[in-house]
Amino acid sequence: MLYQVINLLSHELNTLKPSDILDMDYDSDNRIIVTGNNQEKYFLLATEDIVNKH
């Protein structure tokens, strides 16, 4: 599974593998916050499971 994320500070879009992720949690607005192995914080945008591949 791949995770589409956006960096909280730089707003850079990125794709993370499960091995790139240290933790996932919710913020006060119920958005999923991903902490990467590099200690960077991201908003979760989507997982590949919800995208139809053609």
Side-chain angles (χ1 to χ4, degrees):
M1 179 179 295
L2 298 175
Y3 298 92
Q4 299 298 313
V5 296
I6 187 167
N7 188 293
L8 268 66
L9 298 177
S10 69
H11 303 127
E12 178 182 338
L13 294 173
N14 203 344
T15 301
L16 300 178
K17 298 177 288 188
S19 60
D20 298 327
I21 296 172
L22 184 62
D23 189 32
M24 287 186 177
D25 204 358
Y26 291 94
D27 69 1
S28 60
D29 293 322
N30 287 325
R31 296 173 293 198
I32 298 174
I33 304 297
V34 176
T35 304
N37 287 339
N38 58 3
Q39 300 302 317
E40 293 284 330
K41 301 272 186 184
Y42 305 91
F43 284 121
L44 178 65
L45 298 177
T47 65
E48 70 177 356
D49 294 346
I50 66 171
V51 178
N52 291 331
K53 295 183 180 180
H54 299 290

